[in-house]
Amino acid sequence: MILVAFSESLTLGSVHFASKPPSLDAHLLPVDLSEIQSLTHSRGIEKIAWDASGDRLALSYKDGDELYRGLIAICDVKRTPLISASLIGFIRGPGDNPRPLAFSFHDKFKQGPLLTVCWSSGFCCTYPLIFRSHVLP
């Protein structure tokens, strides 16, 4: 599966491949993020990052209400039978009016999703997104 974002939209597209390679028979299905839209009043998705396990999705969005501007939304992702995303919460960066410049999940952290964010305030922060579904050694 592949996730894609569209300009000026808070709906993601999920590309599901209907057959095995080398066939490119695929279906594009919407992944609704109406929860984020209703809270933030944003104009669309700016950046997305999906962790290697496929369990967590981080996204930044354009503009939004003053309370939600510059935050990163964190979603729980279910992949069976189709992709669905549920809002878990938001991450606010340090400093005055920070906005995320870049963010990515670490692929090799075995305890669960680990998100690193570089903020416009000059800080780079790492956030462990460890929940009960991940067993610690």
Side-chain angles (χ1 to χ4, degrees):
M1 290 181 247
I2 298 172
L3 283 180
V4 293
F6 302 101
S7 179
E8 305 297 321
S9 174
L10 265 173
T11 299
L12 293 173
S14 170
V15 179
H16 291 264
F17 294 96
S19 57
K20 295 182 181 187
S23 174
L24 292 178
D25 185 21
H27 304 282
L28 178 63
L29 302 170
V31 178
D32 184 43
L33 299 171
S34 57
E35 224 176 347
I36 295 171
Q37 169 63 41
S38 66
L39 285 171
T40 66
H41 299 104
S42 166
R43 290 188 307 116
I45 295 170
E46 209 168 44
K47 297 174 184 70
I48 62 173
W50 200 6
D51 82 311
S53 71
D55 292 338
R56 299 288 176 257
L57 178 69
L59 59 92
S60 63
Y61 43 86
K62 299 172 189 170
D63 299 327
D65 289 348
E66 187 177 334
L67 180 62
Y68 293 96
R69 192 171 297 135
L71 303 182
I72 293 177
I74 304 296
C75 297
D76 179 52
V77 177
K78 302 291 183 215
R79 294 168 300 179
T80 52
L82 302 174
I83 291 181
S84 64
S86 302
L87 179 65
I88 295 174
F90 295 92
I91 295 174
R92 182 182 308 277
D96 294 331
N97 300 315
R99 52 185 178 69
L101 298 177
F103 52 91
S104 179
F105 284 98
H106 293 271
D107 291 341
K108 305 284 188 242
F109 190 63
K110 293 181 178 152
Q111 290 85 354
L114 190 63
L115 180 69
T116 297
V117 183
C118 293
W119 297 96
S120 61
S121 57
F123 291 91
C124 286
C125 303
T126 299
Y127 303 91
L129 303 176
I130 302 171
F131 299 96
R132 290 185 182 187
S133 63
H134 291 83
V135 179
L136 295 176

